[in-house]
Amino acid sequence: MTIAYEVAGEGPAVLLLHSTVVDRRMWDPQVPALVEAGFRAIRCDLNGFGDSPLPTGLYNDADDVMAVLSASTAGDFAIVGASGGGRVALEIAARWPSRVSALLLLCTAVSGFERGPELRAFGEREDALLEAGDLDGAAELNAVRWLGPEADQKTHAAVRVMQRHIYDVQWGVDEDPQQRTYEYDLADVTARTLLVTGAHDLPDFRRIADDLASVLPGAKRLELPWAGHLPGLERPDLLNQVMLEFLAQAA
């Protein structure tokens, strides 16, 4: 196991999987709330993010996250996954359904999704800045795109710093690592699921959530009228209430 992780608190385990715009620090506003509510918060940096190095050779994020759960001696656990972290959460919930008690997905991504025009245009702008060597500009582009109107300047700066660090870790490597892929069926997910989206996010993520709601057994949808793509950073007071109410119902 090569990925970095932290554990705080005692009680039922809650695994926090970060967006791939940031790293495990995105959960700084959620960890104290979980601990105070009697949960054990486990958060990790996915491969190539935060304090986790970029892997060499084949790797699989879900496998490495499950190794963290083993090291943390967690049995059953709930997952809160944001964006790209939600994609990993879905794989875990499908491959190990008996282990995952609840699944809260925030503006989640999903494997195999065909990007819409707005997301493609964003990717092209980001690629152009990176190819020009303007990593600071690309980080600023991400901070602007992925935060909704409720985010303050401190949050904006934090996202910019985390995204900039991702480029430091991942950009310009001689050989890109390869993800090991597994076949799994989302219909095998048994966890109680809440799919949260933001009204100020790109429409792709609402479409993903709507599609997942038709596939995941018993999944429910929640649209946050104030939120962009990273609601846990934009308004932690409001998102924490949603999170704790969902986890309490799932316990």
Side-chain angles (χ1 to χ4, degrees), residues 87-100:
R87 180 174 54 237
V88 179
L90 284 164
E91 179 174 347
I92 291 171
R95 290 175 58 195
W96 293 276
S98 65
R99 298 283 303 278
V100 182

Side-chain angles (χ1 to χ4, degrees), residues 29-30 33 104 194 222 226 235-249:
Q30 280 69 56
L104 173 56
L194 178 62
L222 174 64
W226 49 267
R235 286 294 304 272
D237 55 333
L238 298 180
L239 192 281
N240 288 358
Q241 182 178 353
V242 170
M243 177 184 68
L244 293 176
E245 287 179 356
F246 173 73
L247 293 173
Q249 293 167 7

